[in-house]
Amino acid sequence: MTPPVILMDQVKKCYQLGESQHTMLRDAVMQTLRKLAGRKSEMPQRDVIWALNGVSLEIKSGDMIGLIGRNGAGKSTLLKVLSRITYPTSGRVKVNGRVGTLLEVGTGFHDELTGRENIYLNGSILGMKKQEIDASLERIVEFADIGEFLDTPIKRYSSGMRMRLGFSVAAHLSTEVLFVDEVLAVGDTAFQKRCLGAMRELSEGGRTVVFVSHNMAAVENLCKRTIWISNGKVMQDGETREVIRAYLNSCDAVTKGTVDLLAAPRHKGTGGVRLLQLEFLNQDGANDTIISSGGELRVRIHYECQRDFPNLHFAFRISSNLGVLISNLHTWSVDEAVPLARKGRGSIDLEIDFLNLMPGTYYAGIDVASMYEYHDSLDNVVKIDVEPSDYYGTGRGIEARFGLVFFPFRWKVTDDAVAGGKAAYVADRRKA
């Protein structure tokens, strides 16, 4: 029986709150000394976070694995442990073969070196010879589309350029295993399509790929098997569509018209502003649990500032049941930021006059930011069930099978045979 390429056996990773982070070498030395002294390597239970808490899994050669979960669930920590960027607190980890990793924009790049020099640096770290890197250089540069900037220092690259080069290096250098974390978060649509195509080709070519993404459509399209991580544990491991359905159904649904945002899993951001509560309101300002196609939608976001903030911006993101962003409704586009958010609690309302979504299940995320700095961000924090309605007044209603969105429309019958040769009949399906 062929041994697995990746093996994790009861892996735990613990972080001490308030403790300064050390280098990998120091961590390794301290753990070794503890073992020699007969001391347990695990940290005390007090004031700690278990980023991973007993993860066990096996991945075979050539597998394309999706890794999903909310922010702070442990996905990135798992990849860092597999990539040997950090060491586990306890448990056994084994990865066979050269590993290519793309965890963050520009990971493994030296800012003072040029794009060309960084390509050779990364190849050298993987143990590749100059001739091997030379053979891949042209494909790397072409895929990343940085030809004219190849000999420019990386520090002058935009985030998109760094991501393109980082992915291209990881995908085209000689590795057997590739870990990719949120590659679709940066870059234009054309580059994202190239990334998806490249990952599919890598898997078909026998390389093992572990792909982390909040884009459920991309995960379902690429991966037959998906692993759902929550609170440092494997919640489900199996056929992709089933795992995605279980993960999305775990989001809080609008059942009482209010959602406690503080109870959501770890918030992402500086913490300078905290999202407290989300309310769905009707025209009278009372809590509303019925959200209908073609109806109005009013959302009230409660927040708390730790200090004064000028120009505080909010966003309400609506995604499909596969994680595809449908619309990002933000204060920036309409220039309606909170001009001066004082320290303490406040609220802001979002009003949608016409919710042209077909009946079905959707998911909402919320952001609050200022000056390009996110203070709090929640993905898929609430599940929204949009109900059918008789918007057209025909008694036939609106059905999800008709698509994702709908529009007020009308049909005109122009047959000359109608009404004595005159186009007299108009089927108007705008709301009366």
Side-chain angles (χ1 to χ4, degrees), residues 80-149:
K80 288 178 180 178
V81 168
L82 290 176
S83 304
R84 302 185 185 92
I85 292 175
T86 187
Y87 286 92
T89 304
S90 65
R92 184 164 63 105
V93 179
K94 187 174 183 181
V95 181
N96 296 318
R98 288 174 173 170
V99 174
T101 305
L102 186 60
L103 302 186
E104 298 172 6
V105 176
T107 301
F109 288 157
H110 192 296
D111 277 355
E112 299 300 326
L113 299 180
T114 67
R116 184 191 303 272
E117 291 167 340
N118 270 287
I119 293 172
Y120 281 92
L121 174 64
N122 276 263
S124 299
I125 292 173
L126 289 173
M128 297 177 65
K129 297 179 180 179
K130 183 177 181 300
Q131 293 86 344
E132 293 179 274
I133 304 173
D134 287 341
S136 302
L137 183 62
E138 185 175 342
R139 286 181 290 129
I140 291 173
V141 174
E142 181 180 359
F143 188 93
D145 191 21
I146 58 159
E148 59 184 312
F149 301 101

Side-chain angles (χ1 to χ4, degrees), residues 325-373:
L325 180 65
I326 295 174
S327 185
N328 189 350
L329 311 171
H330 41 71
T331 56
W332 179 83
S333 61
V334 293
D335 196 20
E336 287 290 345
V338 178
L340 179 59
R342 298 288 188 182
K343 180 180 179 181
R345 297 194 173 193
S347 64
I348 186 171
D349 287 2
L350 167 66
E351 297 179 351
I352 301 173
D353 296 329
F354 174 65
L355 187 67
N356 65 325
L357 294 176
M358 290 293 188
T361 299
Y362 301 86
Y363 298 85
I366 310 172
D367 299 323
V368 55
S370 62
M371 296 298 292
Y372 308 106
E373 187 175 47

Side-chain angles (χ1 to χ4, degrees), residues 1 32 123:
M1 184 176 180
T32 302

Side-chain angles (χ1 to χ4, degrees), residues 279-343:
E279 288 188 278
F280 290 83
L281 307 174
N282 59 24
Q283 290 180 336
D284 299 324
N287 288 148
D288 193 2
T289 60
I290 304 299
I291 300 170
S292 302
S293 292
E296 297 180 350
L297 178 63
R298 182 179 174 190
V299 176
R300 178 167 294 166
I301 301 171
H302 296 267
Y303 61 91
E304 183 174 19
C305 299
Q306 306 305 315
R307 57 180 176 85
D308 292 352
F309 285 96
N311 296 318
L312 198 61
H313 282 282
F314 290 82
F316 186 79
R317 293 174 281 107
I318 301 176
S319 300
S320 73
N321 62 354
L322 286 177
V324 177
L325 180 65
I326 295 174
S327 185
N328 189 350
L329 311 171
H330 41 71
T331 56
W332 179 83
S333 61
V334 293
D335 196 20
E336 287 290 345
V338 178
L340 179 59
R342 298 288 188 182
K343 180 180 179 181

Side-chain angles (χ1 to χ4, degrees), residues 245-281:
R245 185 183 298 112
Y247 164 62
L248 292 177
N249 285 336
S250 71
C251 300
D252 292 330
V254 184
T255 56
K256 298 180 180 179
T258 62
V259 178
D260 183 3
L261 300 179
L262 280 177
R266 297 171 195 144
H267 296 229
K268 186 178 181 181
T270 68
V273 182
R274 271 288 176 253
L275 296 166
L276 304 177
Q277 189 183 60
L278 183 68
E279 288 188 278
F280 290 83
L281 307 174

Side-chain angles (χ1 to χ4, degrees), residues 64 143 171-172 194-207 209 222:
M64 181 80 180
F143 188 93
H172 291 93
R194 293 211 307 273
C195 288
L196 294 174
M199 284 190 286
R200 184 181 290 106
E201 289 177 4
L202 292 174
S203 178
E204 292 172 351
R207 292 168 68 177
V209 181
L222 285 174

